[in-house]
Amino acid sequence: MTETRIDRRFAAVKAEGRPAFVTFLTAGDPDPATTLALLAALPRAGADIIELGMPFSDPMADGPAVQAAGLRALRGGMTLNKTLDLVREFRKTDDVTPIVLMGYYNPIYSHGSEAFVVDAKAAGVDGLIIVDLPPEADDELCLPALKAGLNFIRLATPTTDDKRLPAVLTNTSGFVYYVSINGITGSAAPDTSRVAEAVDRIKRHTRLPVAVGFGVRTAEQAAAIGAKADGVVVGSAIVQAVADSLDAEGRATAATVPAVEALVGALAVSVRGARRPVAA
Amino acid sequence: MTAPILPNSFTTGPDERGHFGIYGGRYVAETLMPLILELQAAYEAAKADPAFAAELSNLSNHYAGRPSKLYFAEGLTRHLGGARIFFKREDLNHTGSHKINNCLGQILLARRMGKTRIIAETGAGQHGVASATVSARFGFPCVVYMGATDVERQKPNVFRMKLLGAEVKPVTAGNATLKDAMNEALRDWVTNVEDTYYLIGTAAGPHPYPEMVRDFQSVIGKEARAQMLEQEGRLPDLVIAAVGGGSNAIGIFHPFLDDASVEIVGVEAGGHGLDGDEHCASMNAGRPGVLHGNRTYLLQDADGQILEGHSVSAGLDYPGVGPEHSWLRDTGRVTYVPILDDEALDAFQVCTRTEGIIPALESAHAIAEAIKRAPTMAPDKIIVVNLSGRGDKDIHTVGKLTGLDI
Ligand SMILES: Cc1ncc(COP(=O)(O)O)c(C=O)c1O
């Protein structure tokens, strides 16, 4: 497979001796224009990679914050095609920041897997994370995605033992996303010492970068995880910042983009500084 | 869609990856994959253990009251004129429905696996009650997720669950019905993977649930088939059951699938009619998709977002269906038809008045189909209806809809 923006970005941050900062946002929350403005703001604030959530009516692995964001987007009329439109728009002004679409299989299945991977690639998508497609179902979307030149990023979890890891890592590309807790997005805080162990364990099985997420919300957590992992993922905290900035009718306000930019900017500082020795 | 290849037998599925044709499978988050594989191994081991079967059979008899009767519904038959109608009396089981058959099997499995906490989803509350019951009997804490809408319309069952010591958690997401309860139960399960057993109440979800629930419910069909041969010396001409997730239906259908002379009909909730969105007829008005761990017929919009269905009966209010039914539909072995809310309510009353049996609104959908068909069939024909549950839980709903004051 040819090099993707994701591969290039991880190589670049590695050369800088720091972890990548991966940020999550739900497409169309609360409306496409706001998402587009947020997408432009994220790299400016220090995000290295953007995960763009594809809203789904039944997000079984998501906690309250991401669930609510998906609902806001769906109520605003968001669809899979409109998510691809957003990526296409974003690419007109940013051709380097990697975009990973994250979501559930049914809207893609409904669109048609083969057509979807072609459409996503053409729109400027770099990778996919599909929560409910385990390696046992690789022929459905993973293999077509790889063939189309998209990375297929798999989740590894605390329940993924050494026996199962090789199966999870086969056909995984771009990076491995280690889910630091058993649970849904944005729930318990990860135990950073156990995260370090898990990252080491995964790295014994793969040369891919390992990014860690689910439950990371503070600058301290981001720094602690960034000391060990190749990437730190923050999702629910950003989505919550969007929610907190909306007016009573759930519409975006003048505060929406600045609120997210400020949060991401602060987190980016700690992620970037994660490997720097603490000054005495 | 290409027509599926017709098998020599309709009872050999699923394959080792849990597929019935293109349906079924295991579409779950990675956190759950190891658990589901462990569950499958544990179930295979239990199936091969005669002690497991013996204990289940003992509990089924002495605790749940099996075998359930195959009863000639003479009053209804006379009222309709035409084919003779028999009821498979799952309403007489302990807790009042077929749901106990599955719960007894799975609670024994949970204990065998060393799990210490039970979670379940429920629509009508029958599965919640059955789960709370077996949890009380075997000393497990039990949490039941139930859509807030259903908590409201199935109050008697909510109270029963609480009496039995279960914690009932109302779910307010979505339309606050069965699908949303199932999402929430899955979220609990990914969070509490070590100690928790997810007791799914219908023949849906990721493999091995559809197969396992079917196996535990097949006692219905095995008994009915043997009882019919004993009582009438022949097989029935038609078997009818209501289909929510599909557990009572697959339970009675499965042992008849290879009896070519037996016509089999599943009844979906037609709600207010299939023209709009207010029904739950996924196999008549939906298309294949992936939800809750399996591929199956689903109610969904053009973008693949799952639609909230509607049925007067909470137990049928689910936008999907167990994967084996999807396959049986495509192969043509089973015919699936819709019955409207009003037709089910009429059948509820006809059954109550002619038989002195108050059926669950779910079961009333199956009775409604028998009411349509019996008069068109000769008097020497036999229909078996799966009376999946009793209707005590529904009296408030029926009272409200028919203007009766309770
Ligand atoms: C009495 C009764 N029948 C049928 C159903 C529908 O479920 P299934 O299709 O799994 O049998 C329910 C569900 O709650 C029920 O309570």
Side-chain angles (χ1 to χ4, degrees), chain A residues 6-272:
Chain A
I6 298 171
D7 301 324
R8 284 195 288 274
R9 183 51 58 95
F10 271 107
V13 299
K14 189 173 180 191
E16 289 176 34
R18 66 174 181 90
F21 184 27
V22 184
T23 54
F24 173 92
L25 202 62
T26 297
D29 171 27
D31 63 78
T34 303
T35 301
L36 200 56
L38 288 169
L39 286 175
L42 288 173
R44 208 158 63 215
D48 297 302
I49 295 174
I50 298 173
E51 285 179 11
L52 190 58
M54 301 177 279
F56 181 49
S57 52
D58 294 80
M60 277 126 17
D62 286 309
V66 178
Q67 282 179 49
L71 274 182
R72 286 192 296 270
L74 289 175
R75 269 196 219 109
M78 204 57 196
T79 64
L80 189 56
N81 282 327
K82 288 184 189 171
T83 299
L84 295 180
D85 289 342
L86 277 178
V87 178
R88 209 171 288 118
E89 274 305 304
F90 173 75
R91 281 279 170 253
K92 287 183 182 163
T93 56
D94 185 331
D95 198 33
V96 291
T97 306
I99 294 234
V100 177
L101 293 183
M102 180 162 182
Y104 297 80
Y105 183 38
N106 198 55
I108 294 172
Y109 180 68
S110 173
H111 187 101
S113 290
E114 299 282 343
F116 172 75
V117 294
V118 172
D119 294 349
K121 180 73 184 175
V125 171
D126 303 287
L128 303 176
I129 302 176
I130 308 302
V131 178
D132 53 354
L133 275 181
E136 283 78 356
D138 269 359
D139 44 347
E140 299 225 11
L141 182 66
C142 171
L143 299 181
L146 295 178
K147 219 172 87 198
L150 294 169
N151 286 134
F152 200 83
I153 295 130
R154 199 108 53 189
L155 306 180
T157 71
T159 58
T160 314
D161 58 17
D162 279 323
K163 211 168 87 230
R164 196 172 154 73
L165 252 183
V168 168
L169 294 171
T170 308
N171 297 330
T172 297
S173 65
F175 63 99
V176 181
Y177 186 153
Y178 180 67
V179 174
S180 56
I181 48 159
N182 286 327
I184 50 182
T185 51
S187 47
D191 173 343
T192 43
S193 66
R194 292 178 76 176
V195 167
E197 253 169 62
V199 170
D200 283 337
R201 186 163 68 86
I202 294 169
K203 283 182 165 288
R204 283 199 292 276
H205 292 266
T206 181
R207 282 153 63 188
L208 288 171
V210 178
V212 176
F214 272 48
V216 183
R217 51 175 75 247
T218 68
E220 292 72 35
Q221 289 165 343
I225 285 175
K228 191 71 201 182
D230 303 308
V232 180
V233 190
V234 177
S236 296
I238 295 172
V239 165
Q240 190 60 48
V242 173
D244 293 343
S245 77
L246 304 178
D247 69 14
E249 272 76 52
R251 288 172 307 211
T253 64
T256 301
V257 174
V260 170
E261 212 169 334
L263 173 70
V264 170
L267 289 166
V269 170
S270 14
V271 172
R272 286 169 187 245

Side-chain angles (χ1 to χ4, degrees), chain A residues 55-60 71 74 78 104-110 132, chain B residues 174-175 177-180 183 277 279-280 282 286-309 317-321:
Chain A
F56 181 49
S57 52
D58 294 80
M60 277 126 17
L71 274 182
L74 289 175
M78 204 57 196
Y104 297 80
Y105 183 38
N106 198 55
I108 294 172
Y109 180 68
S110 173
D132 53 354
Chain B
N175 246 19
T177 59
L178 185 52
K179 145 178 114 73
D180 311 294
N183 288 334
D277 285 339
H279 59 78
C280 276
S282 52
R287 62 179 203 280
V290 173
L291 178 72
H292 293 155
N294 67 103
R295 184 184 350 252
T296 193
Y297 277 89
L298 296 172
L299 301 180
Q300 51 186 318
D301 69 12
D303 192 43
Q305 306 296 338
I306 309 304
L307 296 173
E308 303 280 353
D317 210 339
Y318 181 67
V321 62

Side-chain angles (χ1 to χ4, degrees), chain B residues 99 102-103 106 118-132 142-147 150 161 167-169 171 177-186 188-189 197-206 209 213 245 247 292 315 317-318:
Chain B
K99 297 287 182 186
N102 169 47
C103 285
Q106 289 202 52
I118 302 295
I119 59 171
E121 84 295 333
T122 196
Q126 289 303 104
H127 175 60
V129 166
S131 299
C142 175
V143 174
V144 180
Y145 290 94
M146 187 169 188
D150 293 339
M161 285 184 263
E167 183 186 350
V168 180
K169 289 199 177 169
V171 177
T177 59
L178 185 52
K179 145 178 114 73
D180 311 294
M182 196 148 183
N183 288 334
E184 213 52 40
L186 284 164
D188 181 315
W189 202 23
Y197 184 94
Y198 182 15
L199 208 177
I200 294 186
T202 192
Y209 283 103
V213 176
S247 68
H292 293 155
D317 210 339
Y318 181 67

Side-chain angles (χ1 to χ4, degrees), chain B residues 97-99 124 126 201-202 242-249 315-316 360 362-363 388-389 393:
Chain B
S97 81
H98 68 293
K99 297 287 182 186
Q126 289 303 104
T202 192
V243 180
S247 68
N248 87 87
L316 304 185
E362 292 78 14
S363 319
S388 55
K393 68 184 177 61

